[in-house]
Amino acid sequence: MLKISNTLSRKKEVFKPQIEGKVSLFVCGPTVYDFSHVGHARTYIAFDIVAKYLKAQGYDVFYLQNITDLDDKIIQRAKESGLAPLQLSTKFEEEYLKDMKALGVDSVTKYARATDHIPETISQIERLMEKGYAYEIQGDGIYYDIAKFTRYGKLSGRTSLLAEDAVSRIDESISKKNKGDFALWKFSNEGFAPTWDSPWGKGRPGWHIEDTAITEKYFGSQYDIHGGAQDLVFPHHEAEISQMEAISGKRPLASYWMHTGFLTVHGEKMSKSLGNFVTIQDFITTYSERILRFFFLKTHYRSPMDYSDALVKQAQAELERIDEFVDRVKESEGTASSASLVSPYAEKFEEAMEDDFNTPKAMAAIFEFIRKVNPLLEKNQIGSEEKEEILSFLRKVDELFGFIFWRTQTKVQVIPQDIEDLVSQRESFRKEGRWDKADEVRKQLEKEGWITEDTPQGPRVKPQRK
Ligand code: AMP
């Protein structure tokens, strides 16, 4: 029986979809104004596993994700880069989809862009206006009046008064009725960013309304699972609930609210604004796609986890143990031992996944299995039937986890000795203050196709991206 930790009830609950055999899953997608980093990847890999597990259990899963392709951050970045806002967001949407493909995140049924859903957005705002949940601020926009929605704060445990706290992405306006009121529609006529006609005047949607406009279109006013990272609980998900439940009069908007913990660096959230990020593309160039999946699945999706090169290298070494095991199984030509090997571990694996997608527990079952089988391999006691049984178990695991067989040919970046030597040489020159010499070596490394980076942990070298 699958149980899911539900942020809404703050309990682990048995999963029961609204329509038997079907699951509607919505996860907040990215705001596409830059390359995605591995913090984003953590959240999207977590929900890839959720969708794949549900599919493996026989559910017909509709996994929907929005793409925020126009908002203040995109407009700001576009101004700085000299591109039009939608040109910029199209470029980074392509990069995002490329990254997801590279990471084996292929479970999303539909990606839906905010700007492709303007009529649905306007229709939602019209209904909120009619029902008295929204009001106009002349020359500014249409705002949601959080004081009108009595259940405001149920998801995050906050009240409309607490919403006075300064929170990112709550639009500022001195004319708002409540500090926590947020924009549904922003009037704009400046000409740089695209605008649309609306019953209230030219403008563009606020951030929170795109999600409910999109989910209502594809799922209706209620659905099964809503996901995102924990920073979205407030104000974003609270706003979504306020919008859709006010419009439909039905609750809950989503039965299960799932939130991933942050990927942190020295305890701080990995984020663009703090500058402490590693892009997905850089990670893949230095390590590999499957190492990232393996690394993330070692920790439960709800828990925060810290990123460091040392921890990634440790994961890499652990994954090599699995690789070695798979090779040994494939090469084995022994005679059968009598025990049925797989089933106790397959059961443990499934039990772990049923317990709120507990991937670290599921991984522990795999490593226990390896410890059990390794001595048998050494004694040549794995026969052809068992070999097939083991490999088919691992293949099943891999349909979810995607780090065992998937792209086993993917290189683990090996740094050649002569390159390592040059890096040390450069470091010695730097320590001696011989900057010219150090620079010469850096140039030589670049000629050979390697980039050096000086980090607080010392120099790092990685291949240049093609
Ligand atoms: P954004 O593009 O900033 O809207 O982020 C897209 C998704 O990635 C959201 O669900 C974010 O909460 C999530 N996210 C961003 N940074 C991290 C992080 N460091 N760890 C986990 N998830 C993150």
Side-chain angles (χ1 to χ4, degrees), residues 28-31 37 39-40 43-44 228-229 231-232 261-263 269-270:
C28 288
T31 304
H37 56 66
H40 298 122
T43 291
Y44 296 122
D231 56 335
L232 299 185
F262 288 146
L263 183 68
K269 182 190 172 197
M270 180 179 283

Side-chain angles (χ1 to χ4, degrees), residues 353-368:
M353 291 304 289
E354 295 276 279
D355 180 14
D356 195 21
F357 309 98
N358 196 326
T359 55
K361 239 164 84 184
M363 293 260 252
I366 298 172
F367 278 105
E368 219 184 295

Side-chain angles (χ1 to χ4, degrees), residues 197-459:
D197 288 326
S198 80
W200 319 281
K202 261 194 180 315
R204 60 187 166 81
W207 178 44
H208 310 294
I209 194 82
E210 69 183 64
D211 298 67
T212 47
I214 287 168
T215 54
E216 188 185 23
K217 174 168 178 179
Y218 297 100
F219 294 159
S221 53
Q222 291 181 295
Y223 54 96
D224 296 309
I225 306 175
H226 190 316
Q230 74 186 49
D231 56 335
L232 299 185
V233 175
F234 186 86
H236 187 48
H237 291 165
E238 203 70 66
E240 283 187 48
I241 291 173
S242 312
Q243 291 163 173
M244 196 65 241
E245 293 187 8
I247 292 172
S248 67
K250 290 185 197 157
R251 65 174 142 151
L253 162 61
S255 312
Y256 303 86
W257 289 78
M258 294 178 67
H259 291 101
T260 50
F262 288 146
L263 183 68
T264 58
V265 182
H266 301 307
E268 273 190 303
K269 182 190 172 197
M270 180 179 283
S271 72
K272 283 268 141 70
S273 51
L274 291 173
N276 59 353
F277 61 90
V278 176
T279 64
I280 294 171
Q281 296 187 4
D282 277 349
F283 185 96
I284 290 174
T285 312
T286 314
Y287 299 102
S288 77
E289 302 83 345
R290 62 196 203 100
I291 292 174
L292 195 62
R293 287 184 79 98
F294 179 85
F295 175 62
F296 287 150
L297 299 184
K298 283 169 51 135
T299 302
H300 189 255
Y301 73 89
R302 285 183 78 87
S303 309
M305 73 181 290
D306 216 44
Y307 179 91
S308 72
D309 274 342
L311 288 170
V312 175
K313 291 221 163 84
Q314 191 185 322
Q316 187 173 352
E318 286 164 7
L319 184 54
E320 275 162 20
R321 276 184 52 207
I322 297 186
D323 289 348
E324 280 162 22
F325 175 73
V326 172
D327 287 346
R328 291 180 71 185
V329 172
K330 280 184 181 161
E331 286 156 13
S332 70
E333 287 173 343
T335 40
S337 74
S338 54
S340 164
L341 290 170
V342 168
S343 59
Y345 301 95
E347 272 167 36
K348 276 190 187 182
F349 182 87
E350 176 137 352
E351 252 170 51
M353 291 304 289
E354 295 276 279
D355 180 14
D356 195 21
F357 309 98
N358 196 326
T359 55
K361 239 164 84 184
M363 293 260 252
I366 298 172
F367 278 105
E368 219 184 295
F369 176 62
I370 292 176
R371 280 196 298 276
K372 163 90 184 170
V373 176
N374 262 336
L376 298 174
L377 284 165
E378 261 153 46
K379 286 187 257 164
N380 233 359
Q381 286 178 347
I382 294 296
S384 61
E385 242 173 72
E386 286 156 320
K387 176 171 157 174
E388 263 325 297
E389 195 194 359
I390 294 169
L391 290 174
S392 91
F393 170 52
L394 293 177
R395 268 185 221 111
K396 224 169 138 203
V397 167
D398 214 35
E399 277 166 26
L400 297 180
F401 284 5
F403 55 65
I404 305 177
F405 299 98
W406 180 65
R407 300 196 179 174
T408 32
Q409 78 279 19
T410 309
K411 80 286 161 204
V412 169
Q413 190 62 56
V414 180
I415 303 167
Q417 192 55 48
D418 56 331
I419 299 296
E420 294 264 27
D421 291 346
L422 282 173
V423 174
S424 324
Q425 208 181 49
R426 174 172 171 269
E427 191 56 8
S428 311
F429 284 139
R430 276 165 49 83
K431 281 195 180 133
E432 291 160 18
R434 295 163 73 186
W435 306 111
D436 286 0
K437 283 276 180 203
D439 223 33
E440 257 176 51
V441 181
R442 182 181 54 77
K443 282 185 188 143
Q444 194 180 338
L445 278 164
E446 276 174 12
K447 248 199 231 152
E448 309 262 345
W450 296 82
I451 301 173
T452 43
E453 278 174 352
D454 300 301
T455 72
Q457 290 81 35

